[in-house]
Amino acid sequence: MVDQNATSSTQALYKMLIELGPTKTLFGHQDTLAYGVNWKGYHPWRSDIYDVGGKFPAVFGWDLGKLGSAPRNLDKVDFTHMQTWMKEVHRRGGINTVSWHFDNFVRGTDSWDVRGKVVAAILPGGAAHRAYLDKLDSFAEFTRGLKIEDSDTELVPLLFRPFHEHTGDWFWWGNKHCTVDEYRALWRFTVHYLRDQKQMHNLIWVYSPDRFRNKAHYLERYPGDDYVDVLGLDNYHDLGPWGSTKAFTSQLRSIVELAEERGKVAALTETGLEAVPHQRWWTEVLLSSIQSDPVAARIAWVLLWRNDRADHHYGPYPGHPSVDNFLAFSSNPAVWFLDDLAITDFTS
Ligand code: BMA
């Protein structure tokens, strides 16, 4: 692992992913407890995925965009509620994963404003370096609110997935907006700062490029085996009308091969088809793309993006035309939900 001093819960989580990956795919959903297509506002424990099929996801995705500068994240999820949910997820045997749509540190705008050579500016010596450290400090502060029940010190482990989709060019950390060396330096700096300076030992580091052409392309900006625990992939395009499910499967196969050569975990860290306009998408596109190749099928989890509005959601919700097919997908024995994890004893 990146962190030789990872807490025992963090190590146990990583071991569980290593063990489950080859035979199970954990189902994940972004912001699943925070809102659904037809409900907003705080509910302690609700999800469109549960409302549809009676099962909660096994992996719960969250985003830290605006942490430290606002009480709610970029999609209006209250950070205090997020902490409560993260702890509850852990208590029930689930897994939390965190992405971070950082604002643009140079221009005060958002992740999608690619101007300002932001990566160069936040590296040591850069004009916005201090602002970046303050952000990372706010993450350390946030995690201090994640104490595991019945433990004095241990924090809920997080699959931490910063600077994602960098093979694309839509975020300021994307391939066109910084050099290979700058990207790697930023990743490594962040590991050193959080692990060694801030002593955060509850993180599992997840690298998640967007779609890629071949293994060399995947590894072009890879910060190194000492800095990555999970080899991820974000890919929406290839499961949509203009993509290629064959290319999708072959990318999954590649990340599994690259991960297994290194004794690491592979995962489909983001995917989905906006509004799911294909009634049988769950089994005929998503599941079949994962399972059509026995190597690709060894990914540890798949995370669907958030359910916001009727025209912007990636999971099903009650009444959606793909519900029956989602139920078929979720009853596949290889696809695991929260209850499957909760009834399995991984400590033995
Ligand atoms: C995008 C969209 C946006 C959202 C962002 C961060 O894919 O869902 O509406 O703000 O992710 O969650």
Side-chain angles (χ1 to χ4, degrees):
M1 290 183 75
V2 170
D3 189 352
Q4 297 303 314
N5 297 313
T7 62
S8 53
S9 332
T10 309
Q11 290 182 26
L13 170 57
Y14 193 61
K15 182 166 172 265
M16 178 176 98
L17 294 170
I18 294 261
E19 285 171 6
L20 282 181
T23 54
K24 305 295 174 197
T25 303
L26 305 177
F27 182 82
H29 190 211
Q30 184 75 5
D31 282 352
T32 202
L33 299 172
Y35 49 81
V37 171
N38 288 314
W39 58 279
K40 310 285 164 210
Y42 182 77
H43 289 247
W45 192 252
R46 179 176 180 184
S47 156
D48 275 352
I49 303 302
Y50 178 83
D51 287 352
V52 160
K55 300 190 215 183
F56 284 93
V59 176
F60 296 74
W62 306 102
D63 195 277
L64 299 179
K66 304 232 176 284
L67 184 68
S69 39
R72 300 188 296 171
N73 84 352
L74 77 169
D75 299 314
K76 312 246 173 338
V77 181
D78 181 285
F79 287 115
T80 309
H81 292 161
M82 197 187 285
Q83 289 168 313
T84 305
W85 282 315
M86 285 174 162
K87 287 186 278 192
E88 186 61 12
V89 164
H90 182 78
R91 199 183 67 76
R92 293 180 187 235
I95 299 169
N96 289 290
T97 180
V98 171
S99 53
W100 201 336
H101 285 82
F102 289 98
D103 282 346
N104 181 313
F105 287 95
V106 172
R107 294 165 44 81
T109 47
D110 61 24
S111 306
W112 293 268
D113 180 356
V114 298
R115 288 168 292 180
K117 299 208 179 307
V118 186
V119 173
I122 64 177
L123 280 168
H129 184 58
R130 184 65 247 172
Y132 184 52
L133 296 184
D134 290 345
K135 264 300 157 201
L136 296 180
D137 291 351
S138 66
F139 182 31
E141 176 66 30
F142 175 85
T143 59
R144 278 194 277 279
L146 296 180
K147 290 231 172 67
I148 294 177
E149 243 179 60
D150 303 327
S151 153
D152 293 342
T153 51
E154 233 191 289
L155 304 176
V156 170
L158 301 174
L159 302 169
F160 183 45
R161 192 168 69 83
F163 304 119
H164 63 303
E165 301 177 4
H166 68 274
T167 50
D169 58 11
W170 43 90
F171 298 134
W172 52 254
W173 55 87
N175 73 103
K176 295 219 181 92
H177 317 300
C178 59
T179 66
V180 168
D181 287 347
E182 284 167 349
Y183 184 86
R184 286 194 176 139
L186 177 60
W187 187 287
R188 291 175 186 159
F189 173 83
T190 307
V191 168
H192 286 293
Y193 188 76
L194 293 179
R195 183 190 62 190
D196 307 334
Q197 297 278 127
K198 304 307 288 187
Q199 294 288 316
M200 287 173 67
H201 298 298
N202 63 323
L203 303 181
I204 290 174
W205 292 79
V206 185
Y207 175 73
S208 60
D210 204 77
R211 66 199 173 105
F212 58 97
R213 295 183 295 275
N214 51 42
K215 286 180 180 171
H217 184 207
Y218 184 86
L219 294 174
E220 191 175 51
R221 291 175 178 234
Y222 182 70
D225 292 343
D226 293 343
Y227 295 91
V228 171
D229 294 309
V230 178
L231 280 77
L233 169 67
D234 284 17
N235 189 332
Y236 294 82
H237 178 90
D238 285 318
L239 295 188
W242 297 281
S244 149
T245 54
K246 258 179 111 174
F248 185 88
T249 304
S250 115
Q251 288 164 71
L252 287 185
R253 185 188 177 96
S254 294
I255 63 167
V256 170
E257 287 173 352
L258 290 168
E260 291 187 354
E261 278 163 23
R262 293 165 168 77
K264 298 185 188 289
V265 170
L268 178 51
T269 40
E270 274 189 45
T271 192
L273 178 63
E274 190 178 46
V276 209
H278 177 322
Q279 275 194 35
R280 305 185 57 81
W281 186 82
W282 299 100
T283 59
E284 291 181 5
V285 182
L286 178 60
L287 193 61
S288 90
S289 301
I290 295 171
Q291 295 189 340
S292 63
D293 177 321
V295 177
R298 295 168 70 86
I299 54 166
W301 79 83
V302 46
L303 181 118
L304 276 295
W305 204 239
R306 59 200 200 96
N307 272 20
D308 187 13
R309 309 173 307 260
D311 63 342
H312 186 59
H313 66 89
Y314 295 83
Y317 58 91
H320 187 273
S322 76
V323 162
D324 285 348
N325 187 250
F326 181 80
L327 296 180
F329 164 84
S330 60
S331 61
N332 186 288
V335 181
W336 269 25
F337 287 78
L338 181 62
D339 284 353
D340 301 300
L341 282 181
I343 58 171
T344 309
D345 180 10
F346 293 99
T347 50
S348 53

